[in-house]
Amino acid sequence: MAGRRTSGPALATRAGAAAAALALAVVAPGTTAQADSGALRESEWALTALKAEKAWDITRGQGVTVAVIGTGVDATHPDLAGRVVKSKALDGARDEGGSAAVQGTHAAGVIAGTGRSYAGDGLFGLAPEARILPFKVYRDNTALAAATARSIMDAARQGAEVIDVTVGFPRPSDDLKTAVEFAADRDALVVAGAGDTGGTGNDKTYPAAYPDVLSVTAVDKKGTLWPDSHHGKDVDLAAPGVDILTTARSRDYWTGSGTALAASWVAGSAALLRSEHPKWTADQVTRRLTRTATQQGKANWDARYGWGVVAPAAALAKRASSPEPVSALRNDQAANAESRTTSASSDAGPALIVLAVTATLLVLTVISWLLIRRSVTPSDDD
């Protein structure tokens, strides 16, 4: 995940003409900000793209806990104050910290930024009334797979309805796989970035590549896949992940790109749905998010965008019926296999009926012939 930091004191002076100049420091290169805007909201293009205002007419994520697993979260940031709850180490899990609360703070801002700083002109997340449950999994500035696995399990035990994993590993791990399955059994929805490997071999990243994880790719303002985003059969959804403005340590802000940021928007979307539909299972939430996503490719599923770009407002607006539960929504191969099976069953139906009727008639004919033969009594004339 790459980005740049913008100082809080500079942003704090945003007003009038000064705001116009400083706004350019937090928007994407090559773009401009409105000269009369003093609010961070003007630079949060993803909120506009995801139609956050329409979603907030229904819910803001109240009552839902989203675990953020990575570097930890700076709970003193004014846009995160009151939204971060303390996690507990269970089953001997340790704080593998030592790394500053960087990436986790970025994710927390995307998910639950309250916008309280600067008299309400601060940074908003997609689910500003959700709670953030942070976990640190770093030692010597390196993320540890074992610590990540323990944190996923602890998050599920502590009641997190959504688990946003901001770290990824190049190789599969039995511990990670077991932890993801444990969380799924506890009805926690696990979300992770598909990986920033698109320009360096496009290798899979774990735990995103596991079937029980919603794997998310990153798109820009135009809905185009970020060049460094992993793509492949393990992709489920896409979300904004390029030039994303969010919270940083020490009351600051940061603009960056990466699939981990995209995953945080999906985690926020899941929090909104779980708030509005508290009785829905994680599978039902997954089904609604994938079925209401905005398709980018020609097919229902695409290796770059999965089922499409997440659309939380559309997911919330579709209230007519609950989505049926599913065990997993993974890739086009599974979807196409199901389609082929259904088609084959449909085509084979009439043929099977004809064969069954023909076989029945043949059996009845043989039985009738045997009965007739047995009813004829031999005689001397014969």
Side-chain angles (χ1 to χ4, degrees), residues 232-280:
K233 64 181 182 180
D234 49 301
V235 172
D236 295 303
L237 284 168
V242 179
D243 293 321
I244 301 300
L245 173 67
T246 186
T247 48
R249 289 180 298 142
S250 305
R251 307 171 70 90
D252 283 351
Y253 296 89
W254 179 88
T255 301
S257 303
T259 59
L261 289 168
S264 295
W265 291 114
V266 173
S269 300
L272 293 177
L273 273 179
R274 301 216 81 163
S275 175
E276 178 65 8
H277 303 284
K279 294 184 179 180
W280 279 12

Side-chain angles (χ1 to χ4, degrees), residues 6 24 38 53 71-72 77 79 91 124 136 138 174 187 192 210 253 255 300 307 311 324 326 337 342 350 356 365-366:
T6 305
L24 295 178
E53 298 284 354
T71 62
H77 195 290
D79 287 329
D91 289 352
F124 281 92
K136 295 181 181 180
Y138 276 76
D174 289 341
D187 200 36
Y210 288 127
Y253 296 89
T255 301
N300 289 338
W307 300 97
E324 64 275 19
V326 293
T342 302
T365 300
V366 172

Side-chain angles (χ1 to χ4, degrees), residues 286-379:
T286 297
R287 173 67 76 173
R288 178 57 58 86
L289 288 176
T290 53
R291 283 197 165 184
T292 56
T294 304
Q295 293 182 5
Q296 298 294 98
K298 295 181 179 179
N300 289 338
W301 182 92
D302 185 275
R304 298 164 298 169
Y305 308 102
W307 300 97
V309 178
V310 70
L316 288 167
K318 188 178 179 182
R319 293 178 170 180
S321 60
S322 299
E324 64 275 19
V326 293
S327 58
L329 285 171
R330 173 46 63 193
N331 55 48
D332 63 333
Q333 293 180 349
N336 290 338
E338 180 181 356
S339 176
R340 288 194 298 269
T341 301
T342 302
S343 177
S345 299
S346 177
D347 293 341
L352 289 175
I353 292 173
V354 171
L355 287 173
V357 171
T358 302
T360 301
L361 290 175
L362 286 173
V363 172
L364 291 175
T365 300
V366 172
I367 292 173
S368 299
W369 182 80
L370 289 173
L371 290 174
I372 292 172
R373 290 281 298 171
R374 294 183 61 183
S375 66
V376 176
T377 303
S379 64

